[in-house]
Amino acid sequence: MAAAIGGSLPQMFYSDYVIPNISSFAQYTFQTDGRFTADRKNQVAAFSTATGRSFPAESLLSAIGGTGKKAFNDSVTIQTETAKYNPAGYPNTGLGNALKMVLQLLVTIPSTSLTHVSMGGFDFHSGLVAGNNKLVGGHAGLLTQFSQAVKAFRDDIATAPNNLGQNTIIMTYSEFGRRPQENGTSGTDHGSLSSWFVIGDSVVGGLYGRQPSLLALDLDSGGNPKFGVNSTDLRSIYATILDKWFSHPSSGILGKQFENIPFL
């Protein structure tokens, strides 16, 4: 099973399969008319009867009915099972709460193999740092939230059943990178480079990739280091995860084979 926690369903989860997008387990249920709460049982029964009917095989009605029935049954299972495990010690932040929900899924729904959480606010065109102190400012605050949430998750999963600590990794990614130069307002503008983290007991730790050249000849017209000049192709990161972690040939997804990075 795959699941997205919070926000909207990420494009990477667009598929022919039903992938839930869950903002809270309490709300992840069949939504009935709030004006008639006493009638919820009848509304659920009517929906179940409608989606459980027999329709011609391979028909649109059959697909709609089957999808609705499965979505409802899965919501009941997820809400019932996750209620059995309620870990503590997570920071009360968006990422902290999301990672707590991820571990609830991993522990109580063993078929969970892929989850997605998000953390916004990194688009710092200004206020990236306060003065010249990189430990103060918007970026430092977000990295602190990230660090605290991931630490709570890692501490928790270390004692979780089914050897989850060894069998779980975290990979970060960003929709876009930044330019290396400050823009004049203590920030940076959209660019082509970014730093990614891969975290887990099975990860071979270290810094991978070389320092991009900031020489004028190695920058493009927008001030970004030119692609391929001391940089790591992000598709190599995806390829490594697919090939080494999921044991799924990455070339079929990425269009061709990219070099694996030895962090796994």
Side-chain angles (χ1 to χ4, degrees):
M1 185 187 82
I5 305 298
S8 57
L9 191 71
Q11 190 171 0
M12 66 174 64
F13 278 1
Y14 291 1
S15 74
D16 294 332
Y17 301 94
V18 176
I19 298 180
N21 184 47
I22 307 170
S23 58
S24 79
F25 294 129
Q27 293 296 317
Y28 189 65
T29 184
F30 183 80
Q31 300 293 320
T32 55
D33 193 330
R35 298 171 298 175
F36 308 101
T37 55
D39 196 41
R40 174 178 170 79
K41 184 176 180 180
N42 291 332
Q43 294 179 53
V44 171
F47 177 81
S48 298
T49 299
T51 57
R53 290 179 294 168
S54 296
F55 297 103
E58 306 298 327
S59 68
L60 177 60
L61 286 176
S62 177
I64 294 174
T67 299
K69 182 178 180 179
K70 185 178 187 307
F72 174 70
N73 291 338
D74 287 351
S75 72
V76 173
T77 299
I78 289 173
Q79 192 175 67
T80 301
E81 293 302 313
T82 54
K84 300 176 182 178
Y85 183 72
N86 187 28
Y90 286 79
N92 187 25
T93 59
L95 185 61
N97 292 325
L99 288 177
K100 175 183 175 181
M101 292 173 64
V102 167
L103 194 63
Q104 287 178 276
L105 285 173
L106 292 174
V107 170
T108 63
I109 311 289
S111 62
T112 304
S113 59
L114 185 64
T115 61
H116 181 280
V117 300
S118 61
M119 179 180 180
F122 286 91
D123 194 12
F124 283 108
H125 292 277
S126 62
L128 184 72
V129 297
N132 293 318
N133 188 349
K134 292 183 288 187
L135 300 180
V136 180
H139 195 245
L142 287 177
L143 289 180
T144 298
Q145 289 185 38
F146 174 81
S147 177
Q148 291 173 342
V150 170
K151 183 181 186 303
F153 179 81
R154 296 282 304 136
D155 288 347
D156 202 0
I157 205 171
T159 58
N162 302 321
N163 203 24
L164 281 175
Q166 284 289 330
N167 295 326
T168 304
I169 60 173
I170 299 171
M171 185 192 82
T172 68
Y173 77 97
S174 176
E175 292 179 312
F176 48 80
R178 314 301 296 189
R179 301 179 194 180
Q181 296 89 354
E182 181 188 343
N183 61 10
T185 56
S186 297
T188 57
D189 296 324
H190 298 177
S192 61
L193 295 186
S194 181
S195 298
W196 290 22
F197 297 102
V198 181
I199 305 167
D201 289 349
S202 297
V203 174
V204 181
L207 180 64
Y208 295 89
R210 292 177 294 173
Q211 172 68 37
S213 172
L214 300 182
L215 295 175
L217 291 176
D218 293 328
L219 301 180
D220 63 20
S221 59
N224 296 290
K226 293 177 181 177
F227 184 77
V229 179
N230 289 349
S231 62
T232 299
D233 192 319
L234 64 88
R235 290 169 293 186
S236 288
I237 305 174
Y238 283 112
T240 305
I241 298 293
L242 289 166
D243 292 332
K244 298 292 185 65
W245 190 255
F246 289 107
S247 297
H248 185 93
S250 61
S251 58
I253 295 176
L254 300 176
K256 67 176 185 178
Q257 185 64 50
F258 290 89
E259 178 185 5
N260 279 188
I261 304 171
F263 58 77
L264 289 176

